[in-house]
Amino acid sequence: MCVHRSLPDGLQLTLGLPLIAIALLGLGAYAWVRFWVHPRFYFVDYIHAHR
């Protein structure tokens, strides 16, 4: 089986590793926002005063 690669091995390392690191950092930031910051916002229904 022949696997066709679009980039040479050296370029895969120089581009692939930083892209994986950026993706993991983005996933970590998303998890932080989703599970730490997001629950701090909550909905409070405003009840108008009856006249």
Side-chain angles (χ1 to χ4, degrees), residues 37-43:
V37 175
H38 184 70
R40 296 179 185 267
F41 293 94
Y42 53 91
F43 177 75

Side-chain angles (χ1 to χ4, degrees), residues 3-14:
V3 177
H4 176 70
R5 295 183 179 175
S6 58
L7 297 173
D9 289 338
L11 196 56
Q12 283 181 353
L13 284 178
T14 57

Side-chain angles (χ1 to χ4, degrees), residues 16-35:
L17 290 178
L19 287 176
I20 290 172
I22 290 170
L24 290 176
L25 285 174
L27 187 61
Y30 168 76
W32 179 75
V33 168
R34 178 74 173 100
F35 296 110

